[in-house]
Amino acid sequence: MSQPQPQALLVLPHLRIQNANAIASPLTHGFPSITAFTGLMWALERKLALAGVALRLHAVGVVCHHHQEQVTHGYVRSFNLTRNPVDKDGSTAAIVEEGRMHLQITLVVAVSEKNTPDTASVLVQGNQAQWAEWARIAGETLAGMRVAGGSVLPSRAVPGKRVRPWMDIVPDDPVEAASLFRAWRRQWLPGFALVGRDDLLMGRLQQLRATHAQATLLDAWLHASRFNHQALPSADGMPAIDGQVAWGDPFRPKGSGWIVPIPVGYAALTALHPAGSVRNARDATVPVRFVESVYSLGEWVSPHRLQSLQQLLWQAETDETLGLYRCRNGYRPLPGQDGANAATGAASDWDDEEAYDYT
């Protein structure tokens, strides 16, 4: 997937989020869905427009520096829940399970300028003061918003780190852009960036179909979402002298990466309903469609392993024909440097026509 080159970068570093939503979808938990951050990006763009900041926000990247899921620790974990006040008749109120977590994250947003014929461009070299002002407004605006359902706390000073929002121009020259990106990514350490790995899901499906011809994408996703321990053969193929058998997951060898199941968007369940025809819809001025979550695989990668800005960013895509609303990421591992690909025989081609079944 190719992404357009952004004019500039808006970075909101080391945001402290309290009680963010830890349940990303009906089947996953542990980190907010990437759709929460694309939704935040669009909401921020609308608020910036009201504040007079003429920026268009295109894509967002997420780097997690710290996370603390609010759960009880042990072999079996459960969410820490709150006891709600009693009902008006004095009876005990029902407990609604809510997953919460505390986060420290950096948001990297690709932006461009909303140019008009009678105004000069601001996103050019020499306008650093204007960039700093726009970044300050963006940071103050975000401080009053919800991030994945959580509240934004004041940032703490971090020795050697920039904790205030900042902007910079993305050079047109690829060599200069790559050099500048290497300087940017050092500021996001220590941390891990969430990137998309659709290729691993297709590779796991091919691996399963080698022994189970009827395996589906759901089987492959569930298989890749868990540890599949089995007895591993010795290096020389001969039984061990002491009778000891090594156990492990052949699909997760050393160096295969931190692979996780993630929701990446939504697939339509119904046709579009006219605006105002569905009761209690959030916005009665736009058409409404019922959807379900779409899942894929993601990987947590240290920012210093990213080769370009496009590998970090997520952008939303819409396919009206398939009824597919999902987020795409431009990450592609370098040949020979991806242990997960070697273990699963990952496919490089991903066809939505084959990957989603709406029958």
Side-chain angles (χ1 to χ4, degrees):
M1 179 195 64
S2 61
Q3 296 180 355
Q5 183 77 355
Q7 285 185 272
L9 210 62
L10 169 64
V11 180
L12 303 161
H14 294 279
L15 298 172
R16 296 171 58 220
I17 314 300
Q18 184 182 58
N19 290 332
N21 182 20
I23 303 177
S25 72
L27 298 178
T28 60
H29 76 94
F31 197 78
S33 170
I34 196 66
T35 56
F37 298 105
T38 54
L40 171 69
M41 176 184 68
W42 295 325
L44 179 61
E45 179 179 337
R46 292 192 292 269
K47 288 183 177 292
L48 290 179
L50 296 177
V53 178
L55 288 179
R56 182 174 289 107
L57 280 55
H58 298 280
V60 62
V62 182
V63 180
C64 182
H65 307 285
H66 175 75
H67 65 94
Q68 182 184 12
E69 195 171 18
Q70 302 301 291
V71 296
T72 58
H73 292 277
Y75 183 75
V76 177
R77 299 188 179 187
S78 59
F79 288 111
N80 297 335
L81 304 178
T82 58
R83 170 63 71 181
N84 297 327
V86 298
D87 291 337
K88 58 184 178 181
D89 59 357
S91 60
T92 302
I95 293 179
V96 179
E97 188 173 40
E98 296 177 344
R100 298 182 300 274
M101 65 187 308
H102 303 331
L103 297 169
Q104 184 181 6
I105 59 175
T106 290
L107 296 181
V108 182
V109 186
V111 303
S112 64
E113 189 177 1
K114 297 178 181 178
N115 289 321
T116 56
D118 56 344
T119 59
S121 178
V122 176
L123 294 181
V124 293
Q125 294 294 342
N127 286 339
Q128 282 80 354
Q130 183 62 67
W131 307 344
E133 178 64 13
W134 279 1
R136 182 191 64 81
I137 295 175
E140 292 181 353
T141 302
L142 187 71
M145 300 174 62
R146 292 279 186 172
V147 177
S151 303
V152 182
L153 301 181
S155 297
R156 295 173 178 171
V158 180
K161 301 295 181 181
R162 300 168 69 174
V163 297
R164 295 182 178 179
W166 55 274
M167 287 185 63
D168 204 348
I169 295 294
V170 178
D172 294 330
D173 178 49
V175 177
E176 186 179 354
S179 176
L180 193 56
F181 177 73
R182 288 193 292 270
W184 289 337
R185 67 186 183 183
R186 287 196 294 268
Q187 301 181 30
W188 305 328
L189 295 172
F192 291 91
L194 182 61
V195 299
R197 296 305 307 271
D198 293 347
D199 56 325
L200 295 183
L201 182 58
M202 294 303 295
R204 185 63 64 96
L205 177 62
Q206 293 178 2
Q207 190 79 10
L208 290 183
R209 284 182 173 174
T211 54
H212 299 83
Q214 302 303 318
T216 65
L217 269 175
L218 178 59
D219 297 326
W221 185 78
L222 293 174
H223 194 270
S225 301
R226 64 176 184 255
F227 289 99
N228 302 274
H229 286 281
Q230 64 185 54
L232 300 178
S234 60
D236 56 5
M238 300 297 294
I241 298 177
D242 56 2
Q244 297 277 338
V245 177
W247 288 79
D249 186 349
F251 295 93
R252 290 177 180 264
K254 184 178 180 180
S256 60
W258 187 1
I259 309 300
V260 291
I262 58 172
V264 292
Y266 306 95
L269 293 174
T270 66
L272 281 173
H273 298 280
S277 62
V278 177
R279 184 182 300 176
N280 298 328
R282 178 177 297 181
D283 190 343
T285 63
V286 298
V288 177
R289 170 177 273 176
F290 293 94
V291 297
E292 64 178 351
S293 294
V294 170
Y295 302 93
S296 186
L297 294 178
E299 182 177 0
W300 290 103
V301 179
S302 180
H304 80 280
R305 298 187 181 277
L306 300 177
Q307 303 302 315
S308 66
L309 182 61
Q310 283 70 26
Q311 290 189 336
L312 172 65
L313 299 177
W314 291 82
Q315 66 178 7
E317 285 188 358
T318 300
D319 190 327
E320 292 289 349
T321 303
L322 290 177
L324 183 62
Y325 308 87
R326 66 157 296 175
C327 298
R328 297 280 191 184
N329 174 255
Y331 180 78
R332 291 293 183 271
L334 294 177
Q337 296 186 2
D338 185 20
N341 267 334
T344 60
S348 58
D349 296 329
W350 176 275
D351 190 348
D352 283 337
E353 292 285 357
E354 298 177 357
Y356 302 98
D357 183 7
Y358 299 94
T359 57

